[in-house]
Amino acid sequence: MEIEASKAAAAAAAGNGGGSAAVPALSPLSETLWREKAAEFIGDGDVSARLTWKDLTVMVTLSNGETQNVLEGLTGYAEPGTFTALMGPSGSGKSTLLDALSSRLAANAFLSGSILLNGRKAKLSFGTAAYVTQDDNLIGTLTVRETISYSARLRLPDKMAWSDKRALVESTIVAMGLQDCADTVIGNWHLRGISGGEKRRTLRALARDGRTVIASIHQPSSEVFELFDQLFLLSGGKTVYFGQASEAYEFFAQAGFPCPALRNPSDHFLRCINSDFDKVKATLKGSMKLRFEGSDDPLDKITTAEAIRTLIDYYRTSQYSYAATQKVDEISKFKGTVLDAGGSQASFLMQAFTLTKRSFINMSRDFGYYWLRLVIYIVVTVCIGTIYLNVGTSYTSILARGSCASFVFGFVTFMSIGGFPSFVEDMKVFQRERLNGHYGVTAFVISNTLSAMPFLILITFLSGTICYFMVRLHPGFWHYLFFVLCLYASVTVVESLMMAIASIVPNFLMGIIIGYFRLPHDIPKPFWRYPMSYISFHFWALQGQYQNDLKGLIFDNQTPLQPKIPGEYILEKVFQIDVNRSKWIDLIVIFSMIVIYRIIFFIMIKINEDVTPWVRGYLARRRMQQKSGTQNTTIAPDVLTQSPSLRTYISTQTKK
């Protein structure tokens, strides 16, 4: 993976978090937050970051109780004004090292060794570092300027004038080198935006500006490689080389693997430690035997595994390893400023308002979020209207009205899960911003609810109105209002269910089946009638709509000589509905479900943040202890540090 620097810079400017590039030291926005908080204590202060790690080992526990070292005895450093590149084949430990440095390891990962920030044991928390993943997790419909502006509103204090915030946003854009694409949308999977490769120089410019940049890069071009100050080369979680990028060429030559002429140095380094080349080499030898026999490349004479062992052993006893250890000890003695921006300083109301506005703009610009669904809803309801056009009050219209309601509140509401892909993207953005302490869960849930409301009202009222008047359901304003409100509530319930889809989907699907394919008295009692039918919104929506449409109407009988059939009789005898219960009670129940499912969504987020990591960590420790009790191992749990849950990771000053 090569750095997508334009998007990475936008993410860094907005203070994003995730795993391919870490920028310890404060971004312009975070620097303002930090100075706002720290000015009364230490004045202007030094906000540079000097990061060291020594004898860093990360061990993970597997499901069978076995343990595995994914990083082993790493030592290195990163200073202000430098650009450090992490390189190595897939699975070499690049991302794990970034996760370890920023305290974002998985729950089953345990860390030993020391990590110091400015000579102190501190985490690269929100405000200290912008941590950017290969998957940008940005809102693709926003421009670069809007992305940074909303970040400023979410993080800066309310008392700060908007003119000052706007000036800070513009200075951030300039500092990140984003002037040329400031008004270009970020882009996503279906919306073309800024190019990932158009500004590779950006992270280098950040380093030149005094920030400390560490980036994970797979196979850079020679031009990009020249931008690196330091190179950390990994293979199998072990150090192959750490030092000045310009001296790596000489190191490989001294180790017996000189870089051939006209070969990109970074390609050569990776070829020496990537076992995939052995397969390519074996294939080529079969068809180009003579050419390989005449080659002077030492890699043609040994396997990659042997080359890796040679390089690792050579580095361990080399001057480069000694110099790195000496430098780490030297930097560790320097006790610099404690870098901690302390979380967002915006009030809860400002966070909720900003998130609501941002989400509303995103929904309005993303055609696939609601506009496409609006078109589909209109088309489908027109089809329903033509099928049941002017249904009337004949004998056959009795079941026709019932099937029409079932179609509307079953299939039509179910189609609202079409917004699931867009919601997944929103969740990715939330998880990244939440990890960085931009806002709390409550603000997110409220803003998501409020921003979606206008679109859901528009969709349901337009489609509901078309269906109501084409079919000519029970006339009257209150009957019309109930119908569209019931449709709105049903669609909103599905939206709420979608948010908690992981645990709700089995009940949701079964609720659809029993809601309108079986009559209430025909549903088996032990489980499907109690409680399943009562937690299905279809049950309440259909019972309410049946009453709304049939009660008060008089229907023809099978023959003209037979008496007319009142709607109340049909409700009781055909649809098995208690006519003594008000239809508005059914509507209230559906609206209550919206609230309940939103609360469930909130609880699920909190569980995933706090309970799930704790449980996984506990199980991992148990497996490790059980394994160590049956085998002679070198595991020492007392010196291992587990990655914390999100609650302990996020600053306590973050607004809940």
Side-chain angles (χ1 to χ4, degrees), residues 388-402 471-475 549-560 562-567 570:
Y388 300 99
L389 184 65
N390 193 13
V391 69
T393 57
S394 65
Y395 182 79
T396 57
S397 70
I398 295 174
L399 293 182
R401 288 174 179 267
V471 179
R472 293 195 181 182
L473 298 174
H474 197 139
D549 189 37
L550 300 179
K551 199 171 185 178
L553 293 181
I554 302 296
F555 293 88
D556 296 335
N557 213 316
Q558 289 180 291
T559 64
Q562 293 177 306
K564 300 284 187 177
I565 306 175
I570 297 171

Side-chain angles (χ1 to χ4, degrees), residues 105-259:
L105 289 170
N108 67 329
F110 299 86
L111 179 149
S112 63
S114 65
I115 299 176
L116 302 180
L117 178 62
N118 288 341
R120 308 172 190 273
K121 290 185 178 180
K123 296 180 176 64
L124 292 180
S125 59
F126 156 71
T128 304
Y131 191 39
V132 186
T133 59
Q134 181 182 12
D135 299 326
D136 306 294
N137 292 341
L138 298 172
I139 299 178
T141 59
L142 300 182
T143 66
V144 172
R145 178 175 279 108
E146 288 173 332
T147 298
I148 302 174
S149 296
Y150 282 118
S151 179
R153 294 180 185 225
L154 286 170
R155 300 164 60 192
L156 296 174
D158 296 2
K159 64 182 180 180
M160 186 176 183
W162 171 237
S163 59
D164 295 335
K165 294 180 182 178
R166 186 166 53 241
L168 180 59
V169 168
E170 296 303 319
S171 65
T172 301
I173 292 174
V174 173
M176 297 294 179
L178 298 171
Q179 303 95 313
D180 295 340
C181 57
D183 296 312
T184 304
V185 295
I186 299 294
N188 52 32
W189 63 276
H190 64 85
L191 180 65
R192 182 175 176 82
I194 59 178
S195 169
E198 66 183 355
K199 288 188 174 292
R200 298 182 190 278
R201 67 181 183 275
T202 303
L203 291 179
R204 187 68 190 89
L206 286 178
R208 287 283 181 258
D209 197 32
R211 290 176 175 79
T212 309
V213 181
I214 306 175
S216 169
I217 304 179
H218 180 60
Q219 195 164 1
S221 64
S222 57
E223 179 184 358
V224 173
F225 186 80
E226 291 177 356
L227 300 177
F228 305 153
D229 296 307
Q230 296 187 135
L231 174 65
F232 204 132
L233 199 59
L234 293 169
S235 180
K238 298 180 180 180
T239 304
V240 175
Y241 171 79
F242 175 71
Q244 296 297 313
S246 58
E247 297 178 0
Y249 190 94
E250 181 181 353
F251 166 79
F252 273 78
Q254 293 174 355
F257 302 94
C259 180

